[in-house]
Every structure is written in structure tokens, then in C-alpha cells.
Amino acid sequence: MRAIQGVARGPAIRFTVDGRAVEAFAGETLATALLAAGIRVFRRDQEGGGRAPYCNMGACYECLVWVSEAPSGPGVRVRACLTPARADMIVRTAAADDL
Amino acid sequence: MTSDRASGVAENEYDVAVVGGGPAAMAFARTVAPYGLKLVVLDEQPRPGGQILRQPPREFTVTGWLASGGYDGLKRLLGRFDGLDGVRWIGSTSVLGLSPADGGLELSLAGLDAPRAVRARRVLVATGCQELAAPFPGWTMPGVMTAGGVQTLLKSQQFIAGDRILFCGVHPLQLIVADQVTSAGGTVAGVVFAQPWSSAWGLARYAGTALSNLGLLGQAARAMIRLRRRGVPILFGQVPRRALGGDVLEAVELQSLAGEARSAIACDGLALCYGFTPQSELPRSAGADFAWDEPYGGWRVVHDAWMRSSLPGVQVAGEVTGVGGAVKSTIEGEIAALGLLRDEGLISEGEAQARARPLARAHRDVLAFAAMLKALTSPGLALSKMACDETMICRCEMVRLADLKAARAQNVQVGRPSALKLLTRAGMGLCGARNCECAVVRYVAAADGRPIEAADAFTARFPTRSTSIASLL
């Protein structure tokens, strides 16, 4: 949950995660935005187990999600903890990973 | 901070490149910048500060950010760094490799707003540390994080990483983070130490050094008092036995160090705090000499009195030379700066020695404190109790302890970590062995009956951060 005391956040932004609209605040990483939206499984491992942010500093690569700018675009995998959420981003989580 | 066009040097060419933007880097830059050298400082985070000063986004306004808890000196350093001339900041960028080039050094980069590479005559590697991975059954479940991860989500993103967070570890930092979480309105299910309660009195043995470094320990003690007042259980002599839940974390079953089951604690977040390891992949990939960093593990880069590594032109400072805290990092950043200025002939040998003398004294003090803290927070016993055969040691490639044992049993002459890596794929995943190497090295040393200091490392290679092929083309 978002801390409230003493925090003035930036403007709200909207983007799409797995086809549904998610609202976040400018400056939040995708990790924060997804966790705040109640998304707890970011991707699945080779045995189907859920994975989610672990280190929050770009070292573990657990928080990988797919990001594209267009609905049918190829997308790139990014570390959600290092990627700022941007308006109109298209994000996919928990997709089957072939790595 | 100005952009880089001032001196006649070509764009993307610098006098000094600094990898990492935390306390060591900032102290180094503050000391070097006034001499007119052109610096670039690179970091994966968007803003300077490193992990200890993970700043909120520019779009946020946070009143009293890190106001309590002894961060004032570091915040002043951050303010000084932001105001330096001749220093270019390149954030949100990963450094993939370090190699000699045209009489200097080249750093290959991957970042949206970064050049493909920067060149510099000299490099300072100040890449800090990460949390030691502490594997146990279910540790890969969503909701299990590092204490540092919970802390940075809070202090930077102003986000509390769960509705009910349990802390387990050996390091007093977990008290500080738990206190920060409750102060921000979050709920902490408990703080669990592997050490027995009696070990807290070990502090009395180090009264001298402890008093002179009340920073961390004072903060931790005050945090514990506040947590107790809020009714948060503080437990000793226990470690996680298993993380429970369907798809995501729902509870953690604890056990004593003797392996006896203890309570299962309902939680949706688990913050692990078993120590820290140097992030030394970059200099090691370039061939720098290193050694095992006790007691948490990992590889620290060895250096001389002026912080020079075994690689020509490459200095190191901060946690990467051995985990020891932010004060050690700032001292080493400054020593490295003096060494550089001396090597460049910008200050005389006499001046360098004179300025380094008080730093060397302070360095000895802080190393003594770090040694005391390390003696009280050694994770070896806890780690050995937590991992069992079914435990996933390599999170990326799904290699369990049982797989490591089977590979050794089937190939008796093959036991070195790098051989196990080839046989099982442990260490070959996206994280670049950052969360499994220590466990594999510990396993091999124990199975061989050899001291851990004699252990072999996985070979660190380019790229030292996994990246897309597109970024290399």
C-alpha cells in the first residue's frame, strides 16, 4: 500500500496491464504501480511458479515484465523496479517465459 | 551539475568514469571535481544517492525524507554532489563491461538515454553491495523480498511492500526497516533473529568501538524500543523453515536453529536480512584480483593503500572492497580521490599523505566497528539450517540443492563451483549468479572440507548485467 503521511505525489497517470487500465503516479516504477494495483505475480518460472520483485535494485531480474508502446507491438522485457511507469504504456505480466 | 562540453575532450570521453552513484562515488567526485577533471558518474538508479539514499522520484515531494536516523551527513554529501561542476550524471544505465581501450578504459553501457560506451583515462568502481541470498523452501514466492528491497520501496517509492510483513535475518538493519515500516503506517508481524538473545550482549565486548559508531547500533536499539512499544514481537534463535501459500506468500513457518518447528506466522511479505555481498562482477570480469568477503560472502576487490585494484587505471571504493557500511564508503571514496590526484600530479605526495592521514585513522576505526558487527551477525549457521535438498539454490535456472549434490555424486572428480555451473546451469541465469554463487561456493567448500577462503569463483564475464541483444547491436 502507498504511504500517505508527508508524501505529495505527482500527477496520476494511466496505463494498461494485461488489458486492464491501471492508475499510478508519475515517478512510480512499474514495480510499485503493479504491486499497488494488487498484482502480486509478475511472471512465471519454468515450473509455473509465480515470481515478483525481490531485491528492488535491479540485481535479481525477478520483476521482469513485457512493455510495448503499441497493442500488437513486439515489446521488450524490462526490470519493473527500474522502469518508470509512463502514460499509455502497455504492460504484460505472468506470460509464459521461454528463458 | 553541468553537462560535459566544457573541456576540449570529445563527447563521451572523460578523465574519470565512476561506476555507481552512492556514498563512495559522491565522496570521490566531491574531492576530485575542484581540480578541473571531467567526470562522468553512472548508475542504474535515476537519481544519485546509491541504495542508502534512494531518493524519491522528482515528481514526489516527501516531507522529512530520511529525517531521523543519522542520515544527515550523507544527505549533505548528496547536496554537495548535486552542485558539483564538471560532473556528468548518467542515471538509469547499466554498465555491461570494462575493458582497456586506446591507452585508457572503456565502459560499455545499456540505458535509454545513455551512449553505447564512455571512455576515460581512469575508472573508479563503486558499485556497492546487494543482499546475501538466503535460500529456504518457498523463498522464490511472490512476497518474499530482501529487507533492502522493502526499505528502498518505502524510502524511495513511498510504498509499503505488504499488508503484514515479517522480518527474518541476522543483521540489525532489519530492526531499522521494520521501524520505518510501522512508522509509515504499515504492519510488521515480527522481527526474527537467527542469533540467540544472549548474543546481543556481545556488544559489551566492543563498548569502545560501538560507542564511537552509535550510528547504526543506536538506530537499531531505538528502533527495537519503538517496535516493542507497538507490540511487534522480536524473536531470537529462529530462522524460516518454509514459506507457505498458494500462488503468493501467506505465512512463514519458523524453526529453531536445532531444526525444531516453531510457529507459523501469517504474513504477505517476508523481508530477509542475512547480510550483504559486494557487487564486484564488473572489475572481476576485467580480471581484477579479489578475495572472499567474510562473514556474509561474495567477492571483494583487493586494492592498495590508494584504493588501486590490480587493473591499471582502475580504483575501487566502498562496499565493493568489502562490506562495511556507508561511512567506510565515503572514507574510501575520498582516499581514492587523493590517490588519483597524486597519481595525476595534481597534488604533491606530501599533500596526499597529509590529507590521507586522518582518513586512514577514521578508516581503521570504521573497520573495527564493521568487524565487531560482522562477528555478531555471521549468517553461516543460519544459512546451513535454512537450505535443504528441495530448496531452489539458483532461482533463475531452477537448480535445487539436491541437483548440486547429484551432479557432484555423479562426477566425483568434478567439484569446483564453475564445473557445477556447467553441469547444472546454476549461475547461468539472468541474474548473473548474484543470488546463487555464494550458496554454491559454500556448498562446495563444505562438501570438500576446504576453507572457504580457498574457494573458487564462477568466472565473471561480459555482460555484467543481462541485457537485450538490441542494446549490443
Side-chain angles (χ1 to χ4, degrees):
Chain A
M1 61 192 191
R2 290 184 168 92
I4 307 170
Q5 269 176 27
V7 187
R9 289 176 165 81
I13 56 175
R14 283 192 152 201
F15 62 105
T16 314
V17 181
D18 297 330
R20 72 171 174 106
V22 165
E23 200 170 84
F25 293 93
E28 290 186 331
T29 62
L30 284 179
T32 304
L34 266 52
L35 288 171
I39 296 164
R40 296 195 60 193
V41 177
F42 279 42
R43 66 180 186 89
R44 295 207 175 270
D45 63 31
Q46 297 88 316
E47 292 172 10
R51 300 293 180 102
Y54 168 79
C55 79
N56 195 46
M57 56 178 279
C60 73
Y61 284 75
E62 292 285 7
C63 64
L64 295 171
V65 293
W66 288 92
V67 170
S68 58
E69 303 298 329
S72 54
V76 290
R77 289 173 87 196
V78 298
R79 288 169 281 178
C81 71
L82 291 177
T83 308
R86 299 217 193 284
D88 303 327
M89 244 180 185
I90 297 161
V91 180
R92 284 186 293 123
T93 71
D97 289 327
D98 54 356
L99 271 176
Chain B
M1 225 173 307
T2 58
S3 76
D4 57 308
R5 304 298 179 123
S7 74
V9 188
E11 190 177 4
N12 297 329
E13 286 197 20
Y14 298 86
D15 293 308
V16 190
V18 181
V19 186
M26 295 191 292
F28 177 87
R30 174 193 62 189
T31 307
V32 169
Y35 291 83
L37 293 174
K38 191 181 158 198
L39 265 64
V40 63
V41 180
L42 304 145
D43 200 288
E44 286 190 310
Q45 290 298 318
R47 303 185 75 185
Q51 296 307 317
I52 193 165
L53 289 181
R54 278 277 286 268
Q55 298 190 68
R58 290 192 185 283
E59 296 89 339
F60 285 25
T61 310
V62 179
T63 0
W65 176 66
L66 295 184
S68 66
Y71 295 99
D72 292 345
L74 287 172
K75 284 161 75 178
R76 274 195 300 274
L77 176 59
L78 178 58
R80 286 283 309 276
F81 178 76
D82 275 340
L84 292 175
D85 280 333
V87 179
R88 180 183 178 194
W89 169 259
I90 303 182
S92 304
T93 295
S94 302
V95 177
L96 306 179
L98 165 66
S99 55
D102 287 345
L105 296 145
E106 180 168 293
L107 291 166
S108 31
L109 311 178
L112 278 179
D113 294 323
R116 283 300 169 85
V118 292
R119 289 193 169 187
R121 294 186 295 101
R122 305 279 301 247
V123 167
L124 174 74
V125 175
T127 42
C129 62
Q130 61 163 87
E131 233 102 353
L132 170 69
F136 65 93
W139 75 303
T140 58
M141 293 179 75
V144 179
M145 294 187 66
T146 61
V150 170
Q151 187 182 45
T152 53
L153 270 175
L154 180 59
K155 70 180 151 188
S156 170
Q157 294 279 291
Q158 301 298 307
F159 185 77
I160 300 165
D163 292 334
R164 196 177 156 77
I165 305 175
L166 178 70
F167 287 75
C168 290
V170 294
H171 201 281
L173 175 70
Q174 62 175 354
L175 288 165
I176 294 168
V177 182
D179 177 47
Q180 289 168 338
V181 168
T182 53
S183 298
T187 302
V188 170
V191 183
V192 182
F193 283 89
Q195 304 93 315
W197 164 242
S198 56
S199 74
W201 299 112
L203 280 175
R205 261 185 282 150
Y206 297 92
T209 54
L211 284 171
S212 69
N213 283 277
L214 268 178
L216 177 77
L217 287 177
Q219 290 171 48
R222 284 189 291 276
M224 186 151 92
I225 290 168
R226 281 191 291 266
L227 287 166
R228 284 212 142 112
R229 234 184 258 142
R230 288 183 178 124
V232 173
I234 318 274
L235 308 175
F236 293 86
Q238 297 182 47
V239 294
R241 188 189 189 92
R242 177 181 302 277
L244 301 167
D247 221 13
V248 299
L249 183 69
E250 291 166 20
V252 173
E253 205 178 285
L254 296 174
Q255 60 180 339
S256 72
L257 286 179
E260 294 150 354
R262 293 278 182 268
S263 13
I265 301 193
C267 56
D268 65 348
L270 172 63
L272 300 170
C273 199
Y274 287 92
F276 307 91
T277 61
Q279 291 201 92
S280 57
E281 292 78 13
L282 181 68
R284 287 190 288 119
S285 72
D289 291 340
F290 55 89
W292 180 257
D293 190 32
E294 273 291 285
Y296 312 123
W299 310 104
R300 58 179 168 81
V301 180
V302 301
H303 57 87
D304 68 9
W306 293 115
M307 309 308 298
R308 291 178 295 203
S309 75
S310 62
L311 297 172
V314 178
Q315 287 172 293
V316 282
E319 310 283 47
V320 78
T321 72
V323 169
V327 175
K328 167 183 169 291
S329 298
T330 56
I331 293 168
E332 290 184 354
E334 205 172 331
I335 293 173
L338 294 173
L340 176 91
L341 295 172
R342 166 193 172 273
D343 281 352
E344 299 271 293
L346 290 165
I347 61 177
S348 67
E349 175 75 29
E351 183 181 346
Q353 296 279 0
R355 289 169 70 175
R357 206 162 293 125
L359 292 171
R361 269 196 304 272
H363 196 240
R364 278 191 298 273
D365 276 351
V366 80
L367 286 181
F369 172 75
M372 177 268 289
L373 185 58
K374 284 171 166 179
L376 291 172
T377 58
S378 181
L381 181 60
L383 294 172
S384 66
K385 298 301 180 187
M386 287 162 70
C388 58
D389 282 2
E390 69 178 277
T391 305
M392 208 171 300
I393 298 297
C394 173
R395 299 169 63 110
C396 301
E397 293 295 317
M398 316 288 290
V399 181
R400 293 174 165 83
L401 182 58
D403 300 323
L404 296 178
K405 289 181 175 178
R408 257 184 77 94
Q410 287 154 22
N411 300 272
V412 253
Q413 73 277 27
V414 153
R416 294 170 65 189
S418 44
L420 273 183
K421 176 179 173 183
L422 283 172
L423 287 170
T424 63
R425 291 196 59 85
M428 287 191 177
L430 289 180
C431 88
R434 279 175 175 80
N435 284 319
C436 70
E437 182 168 7
C438 289
V440 174
V441 167
R442 284 192 153 103
Y443 164 68
V444 171
D448 280 349
R450 289 170 80 225
I452 196 102
E453 291 76 16
D456 295 316
F458 289 157
T459 308
R461 292 189 201 288
F462 174 94
T464 53
R465 278 289 200 231
S466 293
T467 190
S468 67
I469 291 176
S471 72
L472 301 174
L473 296 172

